Amino acid sequence: QVQLVESGGGLVQPGGSLRLSCAASGFTFSAYGMSWYRQAPGKERELVATISNLGRRSNYADSVKGRFTISRDNAKNTVYLQMNSLKPEDKGVYYCSRGYQGQPHDYWGQGTQVTVSS
């Protein structure tokens, strides 16, 4: 069975950093692109970052370019999201999903909460 488990969320001050992890199991991890989404209460879920199956290509939402970095370690079946220079607008629940941009996202993790506040 496919499982995606996010971790690493928490409370951070503006300008701080967090590193999210998504541990994947139940499928051939290196065959799939992966993505990070986020969602705040009352708002639509939005794509934050996406990475190809071998990690050779990646893309970001304009709002996070230059601050966030998506990466993956296929030997560990894990995808990461390094978040630097965090802003209050970055708060929300961050979800890991299976699939590259433009592809079906058929599996999702439960999410990890990120709060940016003074």
Side-chain angles (χ1 to χ4, degrees):
Q1 60 184 38
V2 173
Q3 279 197 315
L4 301 172
V5 181
E6 302 96 334
S7 62
L11 175 64
V12 65
Q13 294 183 339
S17 297
L18 285 173
R19 192 188 197 198
L20 308 183
S21 298
C22 173
S25 60
F27 65 99
T28 303
F29 184 68
S30 61
Y32 292 87
M34 299 291 292
S35 299
W36 285 97
Y37 285 74
R38 68 186 180 191
Q39 187 171 29
K43 298 185 67 176
E44 189 172 324
R45 187 176 298 188
E46 63 174 340
L47 178 67
V48 175
T50 189
I51 189 168
S52 60
N53 66 310
L54 298 180
R56 295 172 179 170
R57 304 288 175 86
S58 58
N59 286 297
Y60 302 88
D62 287 342
S63 60
V64 308
K65 284 181 179 177
R67 300 188 297 119
F68 290 13
T69 303
I70 189 170
S71 63
R72 65 191 297 161
D73 186 340
N74 285 352
K76 296 180 178 178
N77 286 182
T78 302
V79 62
Y80 306 94
L81 185 67
Q82 178 67 47
M83 305 186 295
N84 298 327
S85 302
L86 282 161
K87 304 175 181 179
E89 308 92 87
D90 296 318
K91 68 183 179 184
V93 179
Y94 282 69
Y95 298 92
C96 175
S97 67
R98 189 176 81 170
Y100 192 61
Q101 60 181 25
Q103 300 297 311
H105 289 58
D106 51 353
Y107 290 96
W108 299 78
Q110 293 299 303
T112 185
Q113 178 72 50
V114 172
T115 302
V116 185
S117 177
S118 298

